[in-house]
Amino acid sequence: MNRPIPVGARRPGPRRSKPEGGAGPLVALGAFALIPALGLFALFSWAEGAVDESEPAPPPPSTLVAPPPPPLALSTSMLSLRRLPTVLSRELNISDFERAVVPFLATLNDRSCAVVSVDGILIGSRNPDLAVIPASNQKLIVAAAALDVLGAETRLTTLVSTELAPVDGVVNGDLFLVGGGDPLLSSDWYPTSNLDRYAVLSPTSLDTLADAVRDAGVTQISGGVVGDGSRYDDEFFAPGWGLGVAGLEAGPYDALMANDSRVLNDDQRAGDPNEGAAREFTRMLQERGITVTGGASSGVATPEANVLASIESASVTEIVGEMLMNSDNNTAELLMKEIGLIGEGTGSREAGARVMMAKLGEWGIETSNIVLSDGSGLSLDNRLTCAAVLAVLQRHDPSSALGQALPIAGQTGTLRDIFSDHAVAGRLRGKTGTLNNPPFNVDPPAVKALSGYLPVDGGPAVEYTLMLNGPTISDQSEYRPIWNGLVEALDTYPSGATPAQLGPR
């Protein structure tokens, strides 16, 4: 091994062989000079080892155990490409991914659109700026706007109030049930009633609110129970819905709505959600021994009312989660009105649409050919572009509140029974969308949509959106081969090393 040469030292020349017949005078002199040095070293060693008897004895050895050595640091150089595994993996795999995605996109009809990206990097697109009917992919826009405008941790409050404070347990006059826009307000029987395909998630217990009225000492109400949904306007159904939608797929809804406007033992939804909630609450109070003299109705509480009890909803994050997981239409419509109330001071669908459109523009999304007619996506007047939907997805990721709210293929929500036998099961997250539109040979077309993420091991995700429009596209025999083609293409990424495999060592 070569040793470094001190600055200023002469570099030795090549070794010379010693002359025959002995070591020579220089070697002998060197050996003679070494003798005093060895003697001094021996003396020093003896002095170091000698014990001075006048000194105290050394302390006993410590019983403390030394801490374990720190874990070894990553040996990967700071300048190594392993410090950028996502970028490295993408560069290694992007060409193969393009070869899988682009041919699939070419198979789509001219009325549909699709865009695929990896970590925001475009891989391929088909009609990205074409305005199509989005169906329930509209809820992705509502979700992103609600989290931004309302706040992820915000909760919505339902109140019980009276004009005058009770006297000796008696409410002199009406008792008001005042809605705060909570779409998940539910009697305890409702989530397990099987009246809807998907059970309510994160319900707000109307029973608990009735318990609170009883616990406040109320025993009698001389008037009736009045449902107040005046926080929002009185539009119970959005325009533009197709035949057979209103009252079945969604609505009636208002700022006060219990059990999606259902009352126990009533086969029909209430025509007025405020009156329906008042009827349901009256039943609950009577079950708790509270006498209610009058009937149930809808109205507006006195502004200076005396608050008897209140209950808060789950957080906006959880409400958004319920909306996306179950594709809950009523939840979407109420969130849209709440967005309008917070953003413009008016709890209406139109105000919500304006606030949401402004938010898209603020995010740098082109809105010139976008139409936001409702929150649920049931309206045939809605128009979105795949470019806009993908841009919203790219603002989030699979670990975000929006990403975590999306159904998981083969496991949860509206994807529970979809792709259950495919390699993407348990990994792919997506928001579905469906609109049937008979008669099939008349516009507007039917819709089948799927947008979301396919997470990548150790990295970000593949972002995708597919919104199919066509006369019979909602028929399973037509859309499922296209959906299968999409996930087959998505699942090819990465074909080589993943970011996890390329990370620092």
Side-chain angles (χ1 to χ4, degrees):
M1 178 177 178
N2 294 327
R3 297 182 181 276
I5 301 173
V7 176
R10 290 184 60 191
R11 183 176 299 273
R15 293 186 63 181
R16 299 178 183 271
S17 57
K18 62 183 179 181
E20 295 180 6
L26 288 177
V27 174
L29 180 61
F32 178 78
L34 184 61
I35 294 174
L38 291 173
L40 289 172
F41 177 75
L43 180 63
F44 176 78
S45 299
W46 174 84
E48 281 289 294
V51 176
D52 186 347
E53 295 182 359
S54 65
E55 293 181 357
S62 173
T63 58
L64 295 176
V65 178
L72 294 175
L74 295 175
S75 60
T76 301
S77 166
M78 290 300 294
L79 298 181
S80 170
L81 285 176
R82 281 189 178 276
R83 297 287 179 176
L84 300 170
T86 298
V87 176
L88 180 58
S89 176
R90 190 171 63 227
E91 292 303 311
L92 291 174
N93 294 293
I94 198 167
S95 295
D96 287 344
F97 194 36
E98 287 176 349
R99 283 191 287 270
V101 168
V102 173
F104 162 76
L105 296 175
T107 67
L108 303 181
N109 67 36
D110 291 337
R111 304 187 71 173
S112 302
C113 69
V115 188
V116 176
S117 64
V118 176
D119 194 21
I121 305 300
L122 179 66
I123 300 301
S125 64
R126 169 75 167 165
N127 302 324
D129 300 316
L130 178 67
V132 300
I133 303 174
S136 282
N137 271 205
Q138 181 94 342
K139 294 182 178 78
L140 291 168
I141 310 302
V142 176
L147 291 167
D148 190 296
V149 175
L150 308 183
E153 297 306 316
T154 298
R155 298 172 188 271
L156 307 173
T157 305
T158 304
L159 301 173
V160 175
S161 65
T162 58
E163 290 188 13
L164 301 172
V167 177
D168 296 329
V170 178
V171 173
N172 185 19
D174 293 329
L175 180 142
F176 294 88
L177 180 62
V178 184
D182 183 356
L184 307 183
L185 188 63
S186 305
S187 305
D188 288 353
W189 61 265
Y190 182 56
T192 57
S193 66
N194 294 320
L195 289 172
D196 285 315
R197 183 180 179 187
Y198 302 103
V200 176
L201 304 175
S202 306
T204 308
S205 174
L206 191 60
D207 290 72
T208 299
L209 189 58
D211 290 341
V213 174
R214 178 199 59 200
D215 295 344
V218 175
T219 58
Q220 182 179 343
I221 301 168
S222 66
V225 176
V226 180
D228 180 356
S230 60
R231 183 179 181 87
Y232 302 155
D233 64 8
D234 288 330
E235 182 186 80
F236 295 166
F237 304 98
W241 290 359
L243 295 175
V245 171
L248 294 175
E249 297 292 333
Y253 49 76
D254 206 350
L256 175 63
M257 179 186 68
N259 309 322
D260 292 305
S261 298
R262 290 189 174 92
V263 179
L264 185 63
N265 298 324
D266 190 337
D267 294 335
Q268 302 295 321
R269 294 179 195 261
D272 180 341
N274 304 291
E275 184 272 340
R279 266 196 289 144
E280 179 72 353
F281 201 57
T282 299
R283 180 189 65 78
M284 290 181 169
L285 295 176
Q286 291 172 335
E287 284 184 349
R288 286 157 177 77
I290 299 173
T291 301
V292 182
T293 304
S297 62
S298 63
V300 180
T302 304
E304 298 81 18
N306 169 71
V307 176
L308 280 180
S310 65
I311 191 166
E312 288 189 337
S313 71
S315 67
V316 165
T317 293
E318 293 168 288
I319 294 173
V320 163
E322 197 271 350
M323 175 185 68
L324 294 181
M325 188 66 65
N326 290 351
S327 199
D328 192 316
N329 296 317
N330 286 335
T331 297
E333 299 298 349
L334 264 64
L335 281 176
M336 187 177 192
K337 291 192 177 188
E338 187 69 18
I339 289 168
L341 180 67
I342 300 304
E344 281 195 0
T346 302
S348 70
R349 177 181 52 84
E350 296 93 340
R354 288 191 295 270
V355 174
M356 289 162 57
M357 193 73 80
K359 190 58 64 173
L360 291 176
E362 179 184 315
W363 294 336
I365 298 173
E366 175 59 47
T367 61
S368 59
N369 53 353
I370 288 177
V371 178
L372 303 179
S373 181
D374 68 4
S376 61
L378 291 172
S379 175
L380 296 167
D381 298 328
N382 289 314
R383 294 294 184 273
L384 279 177
T385 66
C386 279
V389 173
L390 194 78
V392 169
L393 291 171
Q394 289 173 344
R395 288 181 53 83
H396 302 264
D397 60 54
S399 65
S400 68
L402 187 149
Q404 287 292 298
L406 292 174
I408 302 173
Q411 291 187 357
T412 60
T414 58
L415 283 180
R416 181 177 58 199
D417 301 320
I418 309 297
F419 307 126
S420 56
D421 56 352
H422 195 280
V424 300
R427 297 191 295 128
L428 181 133
R429 291 179 175 270
K431 179 69 199 78
T432 57
T434 304
L435 275 180
N436 301 311
N437 190 40
F440 70 89
N441 57 342
V442 177
D443 273 347
V447 182
K448 200 69 186 182
L450 183 66
S451 300
Y453 307 99
L454 182 61
V456 176
D457 183 25
V462 175
E463 305 106 349
Y464 68 92
T465 180
L466 172 69
M467 294 193 289
L468 302 172
N469 282 200
T472 56
I473 199 67
S474 60
D475 187 275
Q476 184 165 263
S477 65
E478 189 167 341
Y479 80 81
R480 281 302 294 270
I482 301 175
W483 277 22
N484 289 337
L486 171 67
V487 298
E488 288 290 342
L490 298 182
D491 196 38
T492 63
Y493 185 85
S495 56
T498 67
Q501 294 168 331
L502 293 171
R505 298 289 187 268

